[in-house]
Amino acid sequence: MEFSELIRTGRAQAELLPGPEEAPLRGTLCVTGHHLLLSPGPPSTPDLWLLLLRSVDSIEKRVAGDSGTITLRCKDLRVLQLDIEGVEATLDIARSIEALSSLESVITSFPFFYRPKGLRLGDAWHFHPPERYYKRVARETNAWRLSEVNQDFSLCPSYPRAVIVPRAVDDDALAQCARFRQGGRFPVLCYHHAPSGTVLLRSSQPLIGPQKRRCAEDEDLLRAVLTGARPGAQGFIVDTRSAQAAKQARMTGGGTEAKAAYPGWKRLHRPLERGRALQESFVRLVEACGDTEQSMDRWLSRLEGCRWLAHVKEALSTACLAAQGMEREGACILVHGAEGTDSTLLVTSLAQLILDPLSRTITGFQELVEREWIQAGHPFQLRCAHSAFSHARPKHEAPTFLLFLDCVWQLGRQFPLSLEFGEGLLLALFEHAYASPFGTFLCNSEKERCLCEVRTRTHSLWSGLNQPKEQRKLRNPLYVPNPLAIWPSVEPQSLRLWQGLFLRWTRPPEPSEVAWEKVWQIVTEREKTGDSAHSFCLSPQPKQ
Amino acid sequence: VEQVKLLDRFSTSNKSLTGTLYLTATHLLFIDSHQKETWILHHHIASVEKLALTTSGCPLVIQCKNFRIVHFIVPRERDCHDIYNSLLQLSKQAKYEDLYAFSYNPKQNDSERLQGWQLIDLAEEYKRMGVPNPHWQLSDANREYKICETYPRELYVPRIASKPIIVGSSKFRSKGRFPVLSYYHQEKEAAICRCSQPLSGFSARCLEDEHLLQAISKANPVNRYMYVVDTRPKLNAMANRAAGKGYENEDNYSNIRFQFVGIENIHVMRSSLQKLLEVNGTKGLSVNDFYSGLENSGWLRHIKAVMDAAIFLAKAIMVENASVLVHCSDGWDRTSQVCSLGSLLLDSYYRTIKGFMVLIEKDWISFGHKFSERCGHLDGDPKEVSPVFTQFLECVWHLTEQFPQAFEFNEAFLLQIHEHIHSCQFGNFLGNCQKEREELKLKEKTYSLWPFLLDDLKKYLNPLYSSKSQRFTVLEPNTVSFNFKFWRNMYHQFDRTLHPRQSVFNIIMNMNEQNKQLEKDIQDLESKIKQCKNKQSDGVLTKELLHSVHPESSALKTSLCLKEQTLLPVNDALRTIEGSNPADNRYCDYTEEFSKAEPGVVSLEYGVARMTC
């Protein structure tokens, strides 16, 4: 298929209507295979790159007289308005954008064509989180091993090739376990908490079914986890569904661990919202944030009605519960919901951020996202197919990853010195998860990424972000390594709406950004003066 | 009283600290087993409540005006009853002379005390604004408080307004509060004036009042019309007409534009805050209950209304060059809020520490905001208590959030002022008007708050403040609903568990100071190096050079020490984190669930079983 078939009109005269405090822009509008460009005036000036077509969430066209207006609502929540000369041109451009922005095929997507200067293909793809992480675990304990049982993705299509499992369990037993868990997601290690010697595991629901099936290997695996931790250790299974829902899952072949079959393990139910309900909450919040005229009461009631902050609170407190179980109770924690690819990952990744100081550095956080989200099989392509503006009926869309980023932002607000990254990195991850020139968030699992050769044919977001010019946007200037666990407050009074994301485009650039710039200035000045004071101290020395 | 337990307000697991409770003449003191002291000033106590006896003892809940709530459990009921009764007596004084300020002695002599009172000089402030001038003059009409008891002695009025006009106008205004100057904008030659409502009823007129208003608009050479802003909701103003009061009839006054801005009265504000505090005090509050409570209380709506009114003022002056006359009913609550906030938006001087003190002295204290009644300093009518000044501080806080670089002071400064309007430790906020304060001889018997705040100046400085930036001469805040947030640090100032665990402020403050110190070191070192070079060229070597190197290395040491110091505040911050163990938070209360979880599930299973049967 050629992109040109989809482009009905390549060019038209158009005017970009201004956002808050920006001047309107006139020029030639141009639709290419992946981009929408607006070139303002004389040929010598560089083109203004407008946006990636992939990031268009919905498009609305209106015609009046001999010109038309199209409104583009983007996945990063930006809204753009274009006035276009000519009715035909308007309709053609709208149709082209519509067609091009909803292409399903992965290998024709922009990351496969994007070749930025200064980056080499395959640069950051040596990033093998499970393997790298295993090296760290192996230094702390030898109760665990790296298994390559999933080398060809036959056991579990949504797991990476290598997983960390108890040393006492062999690959054959793992194969049995995989058959007993939905989607083959048998329990694997995601975090070893060295100070208490406990571990955090994740899996999918066991396939108990109406007949109350059992699986000896699965039971052995969980027993081995406890004996590997320390004699007499306890375990908690955090089920992210309500007891009722877990029970009902039996009808469709799922269920939750029976108490009798797993001695030493206790079950806790912490229902977390997922799927469509979460997506709806997101849509309603964004709607509320788009209305600048509403009264105070209306705004507060919409903020309440969308329930987004309630979801943030639930996610954070469940993660705290898991973290606390490990640190304070000295217990091993297994987290699962139904499929184990959404709320499960939310809980395990947040719990690590709370407990593990390394995951709060820039590299550590990137590894955490890569290991606990991308490689752990969060279906990004399905979940992030549409953002809050799409009129299409949501099928698999859910802003689980965004909810995770929001929780991290809340942590960062409560511990402003303890995260090495700032809001910039979180915003960048949000944007790139929904539409990106990089290949990192493509596909739904490691298996699909291998089939599409994402690693060899696209650039990694991590190498893009780790270029020196990007650093200032992403870093937290006030970072001071903090070796302790960070326990956030989850009271409603302590949680705030993430204005930097949800209101990013509806309000003029805030003076607070200027203030942030000032903080940077103070910090760099301090480094400079500190350094030069140092060099002065050193320089007179040789004269002696 | 020993063996008293202090409960954590938000913990659902009833964890507590045990310690000893002491009652002094001025404070309630609780010392827990870690020797940590909690001091509560008797004047801060808003209410004491004795709850029903429980197995562990008699619960005593104390609510403070600075939003601290403490929950004690006293083992013996008799003790509890005694404490309860003494606190009731101690917290409500009948006479001004019994208030703390009259016994507070910070070990200063009389001249220092006088200096403290002279720190803020309002005559100086009017001079700074540019009055008197050809259009405005000082009037001696109220020199002996003859025309208006609640105004200060010194008032500025238009030069062309004669004394009979002033006297006539004052008779037509509620409580004699005739239109006077509150703020003069030198550049635009426009003024903010304030007064109380006219006694217009349904049809009454007063020529002198009409003349005075005309004089005010004529005092503005640029613009002939002026705005008259009634800060009340229209309905309230209409209702007042039946009582012979009301608002200006546009037909009777030439060149005025009349405007209502709809800020609710003190009773609405009091109950709004009450509702807000009830919501916040709930244990195990859910996010949805919090927001619906916030909405139902209407608190943020009221804050927005005050802010919008102030913006209206600033715009009228900046955009239209028009003078504004502001009033409400009596002209001492809403009028003070709107006039002071309006001037704060217009004039960057009021955003400095000193300027903010001047602003409070001018628009609140001298123009007769009834601090003693509004804050309930004495045992009086509870219907007169209202958080009007608290709202003003909250509006200022919202501005500091929107313009983090525009204010010389920080949040702690606002909180400290709020603390002291209720503390009765200093004389500034005692009494209801200047006349009453003079009768109480406050300046001879009590101390002024401001010098004590200035002593701690460092604590209240905003490290991000940039005084030079011209961008911030006039603030234009955006009052979109999203920009109004719940002020956690005010209403939960004492609930440590709710606060961010690390403070950016101190860190930046320290960095700034170190930067300055290091820069100074560099200069020192550079000059010394120059000296060295000179000496080298002179050919005088060895010994003297060695000498010059030595002091250098001491400077080097100081700079290195400074580097080490950088770590210190960080350690402080860490300590606070260490303090924040999960037990401080609510999810800790799920610990019980660790043990209880299974039975809960089992019973549910029974439920399901029964249902299927």
Side-chain angles (χ1 to χ4, degrees):
Chain A
M1 174 198 67
E2 288 293 317
F3 294 123
S4 53
E5 290 168 18
L6 298 171
I7 302 174
R8 290 164 168 263
T9 302
R11 274 163 198 281
Q13 288 299 313
E15 179 171 1
L16 177 65
L17 295 184
E21 292 190 0
E22 279 168 64
L25 197 67
R26 284 195 69 82
T28 313
L29 189 73
C30 183
V31 184
T32 72
H34 296 287
H35 285 94
L36 191 65
L37 281 82
L38 189 70
S39 166
S44 59
T45 55
D47 281 351
L48 171 83
W49 285 79
L50 251 187
L51 77 163
L52 205 56
L53 285 175
R54 182 94 203 131
S55 71
V56 174
D57 205 23
S58 83
I59 176 163
E60 200 183 286
K61 43 186 186 279
R62 228 183 23 244
V63 207
D66 57 353
S67 72
T69 306
I70 56 176
T71 308
L72 301 174
R73 292 191 162 77
C74 304
K75 290 175 182 167
D76 60 1
L77 309 184
R78 187 160 34 152
V79 179
L80 298 168
Q81 255 192 13
L82 287 161
D83 277 352
I84 298 171
E85 286 171 18
V87 175
E88 258 326 279
T90 310
L91 296 179
D92 282 348
I93 283 191
R95 260 179 243 135
S96 321
I97 295 177
E98 230 163 302
L100 286 164
S101 64
S102 56
L103 288 179
E104 296 265 328
S105 144
V106 173
I107 50 163
T108 56
S109 67
F110 185 58
F112 287 87
F113 299 88
Y114 181 53
R115 296 292 175 264
K117 271 186 214 147
L119 289 183
R120 273 187 305 132
L121 271 182
D123 248 2
W125 289 114
H126 59 264
F127 220 48
H128 285 293
E131 289 84 345
R132 261 178 77 110
Y133 186 65
Y134 178 68
K135 280 192 193 134
R136 196 178 138 195
V137 175
R139 278 199 300 275
E140 294 163 354
T141 168
N142 67 357
W144 296 83
R145 69 186 179 90
L146 192 70
S147 165
E148 302 211 326
V149 62
N150 200 34
Q151 187 59 38
D152 52 358
F153 304 110
S154 59
L155 238 54
C156 171
S158 60
Y159 270 171
R161 292 177 194 274
V163 288
I164 307 172
V165 294
R167 189 171 292 283
V169 180
D170 60 25
D171 285 356
D172 293 338
L174 290 179
Q176 292 299 320
C177 287
R179 246 167 258 146
F180 184 62
R181 294 274 174 178
Q182 183 177 4
R185 295 174 70 90
F186 53 89
V188 294
L189 176 124
C190 46
Y191 174 59
H192 179 250
H193 185 244
S196 68
T198 55
V199 291
L200 183 64
L201 306 164
R202 55 177 154 74
S203 69
S204 61
Q205 63 178 345
L207 299 175
I208 309 256
Q211 297 90 27
K212 296 199 174 183
R213 289 202 307 139
R214 287 178 61 168
C215 170
E217 287 81 1
D218 194 65
E219 289 161 22
D220 287 344
L221 191 149
L222 287 189
R223 196 175 309 122
V225 168
L226 292 189
T227 46
R230 62 183 161 79
Q234 258 197 322
F236 290 108
I237 296 169
V238 177
D239 194 324
T240 61
R241 301 163 293 179
S242 65
Q244 191 77 35
K247 194 104 202 147
Q248 274 165 3
R250 287 240 300 270
M251 298 307 144
T252 50
T256 188
E257 291 82 354
K259 191 187 174 192
Y262 297 87
W265 289 88
K266 281 184 188 166
R267 247 184 313 134
L268 296 170
H269 290 276
R270 294 264 129 221
L272 293 184
E273 208 59 80
R274 63 198 81 216
R276 190 167 298 173
L278 204 57
Q279 178 74 10
E280 254 163 40
S281 163
F282 177 41
V283 171
R284 288 172 67 187
L285 176 59
V286 170
E287 246 173 46
C289 288
D291 182 359
T292 50
E293 301 296 315
Q294 63 200 331
S295 73
M296 199 70 226
D297 288 0
R298 176 108 180 91
W299 160 244
L300 286 174
S301 87
R302 285 171 92 172
L303 192 58
E304 177 212 339
C306 77
R307 295 186 51 81
W308 180 262
L309 284 170
H311 300 320
V312 170
K313 178 182 153 88
E314 287 310 315
L316 268 176
S317 53
T318 310
C320 287
L321 174 78
Q324 197 190 353
M326 295 171 71
E327 209 216 10
R328 302 277 146 155
E329 307 283 313
C332 296
I333 308 280
L334 167 65
V335 185
H336 71 69
E339 288 151 330
T341 53
D342 292 281
S343 48
T344 307
L345 305 180
L346 187 61
V347 175
T348 57
S349 52
L350 284 174
Q352 290 180 60
L353 212 58
I354 291 166
L355 290 176
D356 183 11
L358 283 179
S359 69
R360 293 178 225 136
T361 62
I362 286 198
T363 10
F365 186 68
Q366 291 178 357
E367 273 183 32
L368 184 77
V369 171
E370 177 81 30
R371 188 160 51 82
E372 284 299 295
W373 287 90
I374 298 169
Q375 306 237 0
H378 178 66
F380 277 100
Q381 200 186 338
L382 291 175
R383 297 289 180 261
C384 301
H386 287 290
S387 170
F389 292 122
S390 169
H391 302 301
R393 249 175 74 84
K395 284 177 290 210
H396 304 287
E397 288 82 0
T400 324
F401 186 63
L402 173 60
L403 184 59
F404 164 71
L405 295 177
D406 198 337
C407 292
V408 177
W409 181 82
Q410 307 278 354
L411 278 175
R413 238 182 62 80
Q414 294 194 25
F415 296 90
L417 312 177
S418 296
L419 303 183
E420 196 187 2
F421 48 92
E423 192 180 30
L425 179 63
L426 302 176
L427 289 176
L429 288 181
F430 164 67
E431 271 175 34
H432 287 283
Y434 278 89
S436 167
F438 296 99
T440 301
F441 288 108
L442 287 181
C443 303
N444 292 311
S445 66
E446 205 47 29
K447 183 182 178 185
E448 287 180 22
R449 276 185 285 272
C450 279
L451 285 175
C452 298
E453 298 172 304
V454 168
R455 290 207 166 186
T456 46
R457 294 177 51 195
T458 72
H459 283 284
S460 155
L461 172 65
W462 309 129
S463 29
L465 288 181
N466 292 338
Q467 294 176 94
K469 62 174 181 187
E470 304 282 340
Q471 292 303 301
R472 190 152 171 152
K473 270 193 294 189
L474 309 178
R475 255 171 213 287
N476 173 7
L478 300 172
Y479 173 65
V480 178
N482 168 11
L484 303 166
I486 51 174
W487 300 106
S489 159
V490 295
E491 292 295 333
Q493 293 97 318
S494 313
L495 301 177
R496 256 204 197 169
L497 178 71
W498 185 4
Q499 299 209 340
L501 188 132
F502 292 107
L503 299 174
R504 189 172 173 194
W505 311 106
T506 41
R507 54 175 195 182
E510 285 286 285
S512 63
E513 281 166 31
V514 184
W516 196 236
E517 197 47 42
K518 170 99 180 177
V519 173
W520 260 110
Q521 216 182 317
I522 293 173
V523 173
T524 41
E525 225 170 79
R526 166 167 156 268
E527 279 161 7
K528 249 190 274 162
T529 45
D531 283 351
S532 47
H534 245 301
S535 57
F536 270 120
C537 299
L538 296 175
S539 59
Q541 237 65 8
K543 275 192 222 158
Q544 257 184 328
Chain B
V1 184
E2 289 185 5
Q3 290 296 310
V4 175
K5 283 185 188 144
L6 174 65
L7 293 190
D8 183 345
R9 178 175 170 199
F10 287 101
S11 161
T12 43
S13 64
N14 287 344
K15 94 188 161 76
S16 60
L17 292 163
T18 310
T20 313
L21 199 62
Y22 300 90
L23 269 173
T24 71
T26 54
H27 287 85
L28 178 74
L29 170 62
F30 177 78
I31 302 182
D32 66 22
S33 45
H34 308 298
Q35 298 304 316
K36 224 186 87 198
E37 296 173 7
T38 310
W39 290 84
I40 297 171
L41 194 65
H42 293 323
H43 295 311
H44 270 146
I45 295 175
S47 75
V48 194
E49 208 182 337
K50 224 171 56 167
L51 303 182
L53 200 63
T54 64
T55 47
S56 50
C58 190
L60 192 67
V61 180
I62 301 174
Q63 280 201 32
C64 300
K65 291 172 186 165
N66 53 7
F67 308 117
R68 185 202 282 268
I69 294 182
V70 282
H71 194 146
F72 291 114
I73 292 188
V74 187
R76 284 198 308 176
E77 202 196 351
R78 258 195 51 205
D79 290 341
C80 183
H81 195 70
D82 288 348
I83 298 174
Y84 175 74
N85 282 335
S86 3
L87 282 183
L88 272 191
Q89 280 175 8
L90 287 168
S91 63
K92 291 269 180 231
Q93 304 291 355
K95 281 189 311 193
Y96 281 116
E97 282 76 11
D98 294 334
L99 293 175
Y100 186 29
F102 290 89
S103 59
Y104 175 65
N105 185 0
K107 299 193 184 76
Q108 282 190 347
N109 59 32
D110 285 353
S111 73
E112 280 173 310
R113 181 203 311 244
L114 193 64
Q115 263 181 6
W117 280 110
Q118 284 164 348
L119 183 70
I120 307 293
D121 179 2
L122 289 184
E124 195 64 35
E125 165 60 11
Y126 284 103
K127 221 181 275 167
R128 188 195 66 86
M129 285 184 214
V131 284
N133 62 19
H135 302 294
W136 294 88
Q137 65 173 0
L138 179 65
S139 153
D140 57 0
N142 203 36
R143 185 120 299 185
E144 307 298 327
Y145 297 118
K146 273 193 186 134
I147 297 183
C148 174
E149 295 203 332
T150 56
Y151 268 168
R153 288 175 191 272
E154 263 125 50
L155 293 168
Y156 290 82
V157 293
R159 201 170 275 275
I160 55 170
S162 62
K163 195 161 174 184
I165 287 186
I166 292 173
V167 175
S169 164
S170 79
K171 294 208 170 110
F172 186 64
R173 294 275 168 182
S174 187
K175 306 274 190 330
R177 295 170 68 92
F178 61 96
V180 294
L181 182 77
S182 160
Y183 176 73
Y184 183 73
H185 196 281
Q186 222 167 346
E187 187 191 327
K188 300 274 179 191
E189 295 180 90
I192 298 178
C193 297
R194 55 186 292 169
C195 61
S196 62
Q197 64 184 339
L199 304 174
S200 54
F202 289 102
S203 55
R205 295 180 59 163
C206 168
L207 287 176
E208 289 91 342
D209 193 62
E210 287 160 26
H211 274 304
L212 184 53
L213 259 66
Q214 202 164 20
I216 292 175
S217 55
K218 275 193 184 150
N220 179 343
V222 189
N223 203 329
R224 254 178 299 144
Y225 62 86
M226 70 184 280
Y227 281 101
V228 175
V229 175
D230 190 329
T231 56
R232 298 169 293 183
K234 189 168 182 187
L235 210 62
N236 297 18
M238 309 253 280
N240 262 308
R241 275 167 52 175
K245 298 165 189 169
Y247 53 91
E248 290 83 354
N249 183 345
E250 256 181 301
D251 300 337
N252 296 341
Y253 295 83
S254 51
N255 297 332
I256 70 162
R257 297 188 181 180
F258 190 82
Q259 180 82 30
F260 286 111
V261 292
I263 303 173
E264 298 288 348
N265 64 24
I266 58 167
H267 310 294
V268 175
M269 299 306 187
R270 181 179 55 244
S271 70
S272 166
L273 180 65
Q274 198 53 43
K275 279 184 207 156
L276 182 76
L277 294 178
E278 266 165 40
V279 173
N280 292 334
T282 322
K283 274 184 186 179
L285 183 64
S286 80
V287 175
N288 282 16
D289 291 346
F290 174 63
Y291 281 103
S292 64
L294 203 57
E295 183 198 338
N296 288 335
S297 76
W299 182 254
L300 290 179
R301 192 181 67 223
H302 301 317
I303 299 286
K304 178 169 151 63
V306 175
M307 198 85 112
D308 279 331
I311 292 170
F312 180 86
L313 245 64
K315 276 215 179 112
I317 288 185
M318 285 318 290
V319 181
E320 300 182 50
N321 256 339
S323 293
V324 191
L325 173 67
V326 184
H327 71 76
C328 48
S329 297
D330 289 321
W332 50 44
D333 292 313
R334 289 168 270 197
T335 303
S336 296
Q337 286 179 332
V338 173
C339 288
S340 54
L341 267 181
S343 342
L344 188 80
L345 293 178
L346 288 167
D347 194 333
S348 63
Y349 172 67
Y350 295 129
R351 292 172 231 140
T352 63
I353 289 195
K354 177 87 185 291
F356 193 64
M357 294 172 177
V358 169
L359 184 67
I360 292 176
E361 281 282 347
K362 173 169 72 79
D363 271 321
W364 292 86
I365 297 175
S366 85
F367 277 114
H369 173 68
K370 304 201 283 176
F371 274 106
S372 271
E373 288 197 356
R374 296 291 177 259
C375 302
H377 288 158
L378 298 178
D379 198 7
D381 184 0
K383 285 223 171 80
E384 285 291 321
V385 176
S386 185
V388 177
F389 189 73
T390 309
Q391 284 184 322
F392 164 67
L393 290 180
E394 180 159 342
C395 289
V396 177
W397 174 76
H398 272 109
L399 289 174
T400 62
E401 284 283 291
Q402 268 197 49
F403 303 97
Q405 290 187 277
F407 290 82
E408 193 191 6
F409 49 84
N410 61 23
E411 190 179 32
F413 184 62
L414 299 175
L415 292 176
Q416 193 65 18
I417 291 176
H418 185 256
E419 182 93 3
H420 284 298
I421 61 165
H422 293 111
S423 74
C424 305
Q425 189 175 351
F426 298 97
N428 307 55
F429 303 108
L430 299 186
N432 292 314
C433 58
Q434 291 298 60
K435 186 173 177 232
E436 200 176 352
R437 288 186 192 103
E438 284 172 21
E439 283 162 10
L440 287 169
K441 301 207 165 70
L442 287 177
K443 292 198 176 173
E444 289 136 59
K445 293 183 177 166
T446 69
Y447 294 85
S448 166
L449 166 67
W450 311 123
F452 290 87
L453 290 180
L454 287 182
D455 282 347
D456 275 344
L457 188 65
K458 264 191 188 165
K459 270 206 313 217
Y460 307 124
L461 284 177
N462 171 11
L464 298 178
Y465 176 57
S466 70
S467 52
K468 288 166 214 136
S469 171
Q470 285 299 306
R471 272 189 63 191
F472 295 120
T473 44
V474 177
L475 298 186
E476 293 170 36
N478 186 347
T479 55
V480 179
S481 305
F482 327 123
N483 281 339
F484 291 88
K485 287 164 272 189
F486 173 69
W487 191 6
R488 187 194 51 216
N489 288 358
M490 170 68 101
Y491 304 105
H492 291 293
Q493 200 185 348
F494 298 96
D495 302 308
R496 204 174 55 87
T497 53
L498 294 187
H499 291 283
R501 311 304 207 237
Q502 294 173 319
S503 149
V504 177
F505 241 69
N506 297 344
I507 298 279
I508 301 181
M509 210 66 208
N510 281 323
M511 281 186 186
N512 252 344
E513 252 167 53
Q514 282 165 23
N515 279 355
K516 276 183 205 140
Q517 185 61 40
L518 284 170
E519 263 162 32
K520 229 185 84 205
D521 281 0
I522 290 177
Q523 278 176 1
D524 282 359
L525 290 167
E526 268 175 331
S527 63
K528 274 182 188 149
I529 284 176
K530 261 188 202 148
Q531 277 179 11
C532 284
K533 280 186 180 155
N534 288 342
K535 279 175 191 161
Q536 271 180 325
S537 59
D538 285 350
V540 189
L541 264 171
T542 47
K543 270 193 182 175
E544 289 195 28
L545 230 174
L546 270 175
H547 265 281
S548 67
V549 168
H550 273 294
E552 235 167 6
S553 51
S554 74
L556 165 145
K557 264 177 211 148
T558 55
S559 69
L560 284 181
C561 287
L562 271 167
K563 274 226 147 181
E564 309 250 301
Q565 273 172 12
T566 346
L567 290 172
L568 279 177
V570 175
N571 286 344
D572 270 347
L574 283 188
R575 230 168 279 141
T576 54
I577 309 176
E578 263 170 317
S580 92
N581 63 41
D584 281 346
N585 297 311
R586 271 222 309 122
Y587 44 80
C588 65
D589 305 323
Y590 303 147
T591 7
E592 289 161 58
E593 267 178 67
F594 278 124
S595 40
K596 270 195 283 181
E598 283 311 297
V601 174
V602 171
S603 65
L604 244 171
E605 260 171 319
Y606 281 152
V608 173
R610 241 178 263 139
M611 272 163 67
T612 45
C613 286

